[in-house]
Amino acid sequence: MRQTLKGTEMKKPALLTALILALGVVAVLSFIRPQEAEAGLKSISGTVTYRERIALPPKAKVEVKLVDISLMDAPSKTIAETTIEPKGQVPIPFTLSYDPALIEPNNTYALQARITVDGQLMFITDQVYMVLTKGDGVTDLLLKRVGTNSPPDIAGTWLAEDIGGAGVIDNLQSTLQLSEDGSVSGTGGCNNFAGKAILAGDAISFGPLAATRMACVPAVNDQEAKFFDALSKTQSWRIDATGKLELFDSAGTRLALMARQ
């Protein structure tokens, strides 16, 4: 009887030790596996941009996907994706992590991107950027504005808030009215003017502009002259994040800032 009890007592420590070792192995595996999985990931880096001179609104989101486009008659399969809330303007850098075990050597993979604002699609890739197994590996993605073949409509009346970085005179209005047919009119603050604008993408030029020749006080004359000079030198434009119109010269220097009336 004593021998049986001894045998049982001797087996208990061995069983306890085995149980502790087993639990330890499980704990170690649980700790290692996530690290091993993360270490096995690869990544693709690049940028997202567009040609239009439009500032990204504060709530813009950039989405980039790695997709399998091997089957031409079926929807693409998403391999990996990432969403970025940009802190600045384009180009927006991205890094997309993916599991190389999901990549088949004979399949075709591409990058897709889009920009949304409050859930509304604003820009999207309109060409195929093949990566990994085929293509030239270009990862700098150029997006196209959705719903239009040209930059956003700037037709309407704009009031100058700044000319040449020197501000404007309070209660003196220098305005610019752009019509959909390209006709231009407005006032420098004293004299009215009219003419034509040539708009192609983010490029714009005015003139020649015809203006009346009324006499004005020197301060008004000075602002008006600067406004007309800014229009004559304008070569490009953009709408900033607050919806205001910026006019630039050929060197990219801002000539005027205008608010929609």
Side-chain angles (χ1 to χ4, degrees):
M1 184 67 178
R2 183 177 298 174
Q3 290 179 352
T4 303
L5 289 173
K6 280 185 177 180
T8 303
E9 290 173 358
M10 290 177 63
K11 289 179 182 179
K12 286 182 179 179
L15 290 173
L16 183 59
T17 301
L19 179 60
I20 292 173
L21 289 174
L23 291 173
V25 170
V26 171
V28 170
L29 289 175
S30 299
F31 177 76
I32 290 176
R33 283 173 183 167
Q35 291 184 329
E36 288 177 341
E38 184 176 353
L41 295 180
K42 292 188 177 181
S43 63
I44 301 174
S45 297
T47 61
V48 171
T49 191
Y50 48 80
R51 288 197 177 98
E52 289 84 352
R53 297 184 69 92
I54 307 171
L56 282 176
K59 295 183 180 181
K61 291 185 178 181
V62 179
E63 301 172 21
V64 183
K65 291 183 178 182
L66 173 63
V67 296
D68 185 337
I69 57 172
S70 304
L71 300 177
M72 301 302 293
D73 58 346
S76 60
K77 177 183 177 182
T78 299
I79 304 300
E81 59 185 306
T82 186
T83 300
I84 305 164
E85 296 183 1
K87 303 302 181 183
Q89 299 300 318
V90 295
I92 304 298
F94 71 86
T95 297
L96 183 62
S97 298
Y98 68 94
D99 185 353
L102 300 176
I103 306 302
E104 298 291 341
N106 296 324
N107 287 9
T108 303
Y109 300 92
L111 291 175
Q112 297 177 350
R114 66 180 194 163
I115 299 175
T116 60
V117 179
D118 289 328
Q120 297 296 314
L121 187 60
M122 188 175 183
F123 291 92
I124 195 168
T125 44
D126 67 339
Q127 56 183 300
V128 179
Y129 292 93
M130 290 191 291
V131 292
L132 301 181
T133 57
K134 297 180 182 179
D136 53 12
V138 174
T139 56
D140 294 326
L141 312 180
L142 180 64
L143 278 58
K144 182 178 180 181
R145 185 169 172 82
V146 173
T148 179
N149 294 322
S150 62
D153 185 15
I154 61 171
T157 302
W158 300 88
L159 172 66
E161 291 189 346
D162 178 81
I163 302 171
V168 292
I169 298 174
D170 291 340
N171 301 320
L172 177 62
Q173 295 194 338
S174 296
T175 64
L176 172 66
Q177 182 173 353
L178 293 164
S179 299
E180 293 181 359
D181 63 359
S183 60
V184 176
S185 60
T187 176
C190 178
N191 288 282
N192 297 326
F193 66 89
K196 282 284 186 179
I198 299 175
L199 180 65
D202 63 356
I204 188 172
S205 60
F206 300 98
L209 300 175
T212 57
R213 297 190 178 185
M214 293 171 50
C216 309
V217 298
V220 175
N221 276 335
D222 181 61
Q223 176 170 312
E224 183 170 86
K226 290 178 179 178
F227 183 56
F228 288 161
D229 184 58
L231 294 180
S232 69
K233 294 178 179 178
T234 295
Q235 294 294 312
S236 63
W237 66 276
R238 78 169 183 178
I239 304 296
D240 72 9
T242 63
K244 294 181 181 179
L245 172 65
E246 295 179 295
L247 302 178
F248 300 89
D249 64 13
S250 57
T253 301
R254 193 175 77 180
L255 299 171
L257 175 69
M258 312 191 76
R260 190 184 289 274
Q261 281 194 310

